């Protein structure tokens, strides 16, 4: 079971608990986790379960996916990892209780165009990778 706290700055916007094998993240309304922000691509990233591990994968998004402030293409997730997508942070909490079948708490609204993220924090994370 994976639990995801979707945050904007220090405010928790959603507390998501999910037992799905694959969780899509993006701005489009058909994603499991929709982030309503123009800096987020329509299909930005996905979390996929493989046996006992969860992986985060960037889906060639415009602004990238960051794991603990490092830009990634695909990485394994660990408990308490911080995934940055646009201006939002997804705090990852891995729970061992496989019998808990709570559904996915989602909010679905449609937005169409990806805005190029141009913030100081985003530029600093990119600069660290060079």
């Amino acid at each position: 079971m994976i639990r995801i706290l979707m945050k904007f700055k220090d405010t928790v916007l959603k507390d998501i608990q999910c037992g799905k094998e694959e969780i899509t993240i993006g701005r489009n309304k058909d994603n499991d986790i929709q982030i309503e922000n123009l800096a987020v691509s329509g299909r930005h990233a996905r979390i996929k379960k493989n046996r006992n591990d969860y992986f985060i994968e960037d889906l060639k998004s415009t602004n990238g996916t960051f794991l603990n402030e490092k830009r990634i293409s695909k990485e394994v997730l660990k408990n308490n990892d911080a995934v940055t997508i646009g201006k939002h942070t997804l705090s990852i909490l891995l729970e061992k209780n496989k019998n808990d079948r709570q559904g996915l708490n989602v909010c679905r609204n449609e937005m169409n165009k990806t805005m190029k993220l141009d913030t100081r924090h985003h530029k600093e994370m990119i600069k660290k990778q060079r």
Side-chain angles (χ1 to χ4, degrees), residues 7-118:
K7 299 177 183 178
F8 182 75
K9 299 188 180 182
D10 292 327
T11 303
V12 175
L13 302 176
K14 295 180 189 171
D15 184 341
I16 303 154
Q17 295 186 32
C18 185
K20 290 177 69 174
E21 298 292 313
E22 184 174 309
I23 302 164
T24 59
I25 305 163
R27 196 178 65 244
N28 291 344
K29 68 179 180 178
D30 62 342
N31 286 292
D32 297 308
I33 299 174
Q34 183 189 21
I35 301 175
E36 297 179 49
N37 186 287
L38 293 176
V40 177
S41 295
R43 259 298 170 213
H44 197 102
R46 77 173 151 216
I47 295 173
K48 195 166 185 176
K49 185 176 182 181
N50 185 359
R51 296 187 182 162
N52 293 326
D53 292 320
Y54 286 92
F55 292 84
I56 180 81
E57 179 179 13
D58 182 75
L59 299 177
K60 299 180 180 165
S61 65
T62 301
N63 292 305
T65 301
F66 294 81
L67 178 61
N68 302 320
E69 298 194 357
K70 177 184 173 192
R71 189 172 191 156
I72 57 98
S73 57
K74 184 177 181 180
E75 290 289 331
V76 68
L77 290 170
K78 297 178 189 91
N79 195 39
N80 296 317
D81 274 345
V83 175
T84 305
I85 294 179
K87 295 181 178 184
H88 290 74
T89 301
L90 304 177
S91 295
I92 306 299
L93 302 169
L94 299 176
E95 299 176 359
K96 300 296 181 189
N97 185 356
K98 294 182 182 179
N99 295 325
D100 187 357
R101 296 283 184 207
Q102 270 191 293
L104 185 64
N105 174 18
V106 294
C107 175
R108 299 175 189 264
N109 290 314
E110 186 170 29
M111 297 171 77
N112 293 322
K113 187 178 173 193
T114 302
M115 175 186 79
K116 180 73 174 160
L117 189 60
D118 191 30

